[in-house]
Amino acid sequence: MPGASARGTYLRIADDLRQDIREGRITKRLSSEAQLMRDHGVSRTTIRRALMTLQDEGLIHSEPGAGWAVSGADDRRPLTERLIEIITATPLAIGDAFPSEASLCESFGLSRTAVRSALAQLEGQGLLEAVHGKGRTVRALPSSTTTT
């Protein structure tokens, strides 16, 4: 975006993305940060500032390992199912670190209480294990029938 100030550039990109979402040109997932950088000819920092602006407005949210998604387009499955999908889609192996509570809260736009409750259910199912001082690790891989 030639001719724009560094401060104004991220706001203009946020405006463009906001309009694309509202007019239905972006309905589920946003392009990758790398693609947005190429499309707008700016740095990753500028793109991230634009994305954070839209996240603060509640229009988009980050999904671990999947990028940015439109908030109204997220699925309505139980949180436990979506957390299990993190294990299978990434894919994580037994002993691998699971995303932190804070990153899950941010990604799903939920309270720490809701996230902890879902994580406790996965611990109860034997899928995750809390390691003192290190967060949670994958204890077992989910079977295709494991749900809430």
Side-chain angles (χ1 to χ4, degrees), residues 29-48:
R29 297 210 171 278
L30 279 72
S31 299
S32 68
E33 289 181 12
Q35 184 61 50
L36 291 170
M37 289 167 49
R38 287 189 294 273
D39 291 348
H40 296 280
V42 296
S43 70
R44 185 174 303 274
T45 301
T46 302
I47 292 299
R48 286 191 176 160

Side-chain angles (χ1 to χ4, degrees), residues 9-28:
T9 302
Y10 84 93
L11 293 172
R12 290 174 66 189
I13 293 169
D15 287 343
D16 290 346
L17 292 171
R18 186 182 303 106
Q19 185 173 355
D20 287 345
I21 291 168
R22 290 196 173 136
E23 293 179 3
R25 288 187 291 274
I26 300 174
T27 58
K28 293 184 182 181

Side-chain angles (χ1 to χ4, degrees), residues 41-76:
V42 296
S43 70
R44 185 174 303 274
T45 301
T46 302
I47 292 299
R48 286 191 176 160
R49 288 182 75 186
L51 294 171
M52 294 306 291
T53 299
L54 297 177
Q55 181 178 357
D56 291 345
E57 294 172 9
L59 289 176
I60 64 172
H61 62 275
S62 174
E63 294 181 345
W68 293 89
V70 177
S71 292
D74 59 341
D75 63 35
R76 301 292 183 214

